[in-house]
Amino acid sequence: CELCSYSKAIDTHHIIAKCDGGPHDIDNLMVICPNCHALITRKVLILKSREDIPVVRKNVLSIIRSLYNDLQAIPYAGES
């Protein structure tokens, strides 16, 4: 995924949707995982061009790190 680096499953995404006149060429396509694709579709993540990818990627990775740190603070069952 161009946003979170997940590589087990990938989708292609039109940055500008074809129904909005977006072309079907490499400058308007990106490779993303199903989770990031869902976040873009639901407008949680906003991309208007390929130039937005580095900023959105930085935000996504920051969120992932934060979630990972939060999970590390939760003890496993049986631990004190």
Side-chain angles (χ1 to χ4, degrees), residues 1-12 31-37 57 60-61 64:
C1 176
E2 291 185 62
L3 298 178
C4 72
S5 299
Y6 186 74
S7 62
K8 303 296 182 199
I10 55 169
D11 297 336
T12 54
V31 176
I32 55 177
C33 71
N35 291 324
C36 287
H37 203 178
R57 177 178 170 75
V60 168
L61 293 176
I64 291 170

Side-chain angles (χ1 to χ4, degrees), residues 67-77 79-80:
L67 291 171
Y68 179 78
N69 289 335
D70 290 347
L71 287 174
Q72 294 298 322
I74 301 172
Y76 290 109
E79 288 184 350
S80 316

Side-chain angles (χ1 to χ4, degrees), residues 20-67:
D20 293 332
H24 189 68
D25 64 5
I26 195 70
D27 291 331
N28 190 45
L29 294 170
M30 60 185 298
V31 176
I32 55 177
C33 71
N35 291 324
C36 287
H37 203 178
L39 293 173
I40 291 171
T41 300
R42 290 166 178 80
K43 300 190 183 335
V44 174
L45 302 175
I46 306 295
L47 290 130
K48 295 181 182 172
S49 71
R50 290 197 63 79
E51 287 82 31
D52 294 335
I53 292 173
V55 172
V56 174
R57 177 178 170 75
K58 182 178 177 182
N59 292 337
V60 168
L61 293 176
S62 176
I63 292 166
I64 291 170
R65 283 187 199 99
S66 175
L67 291 171

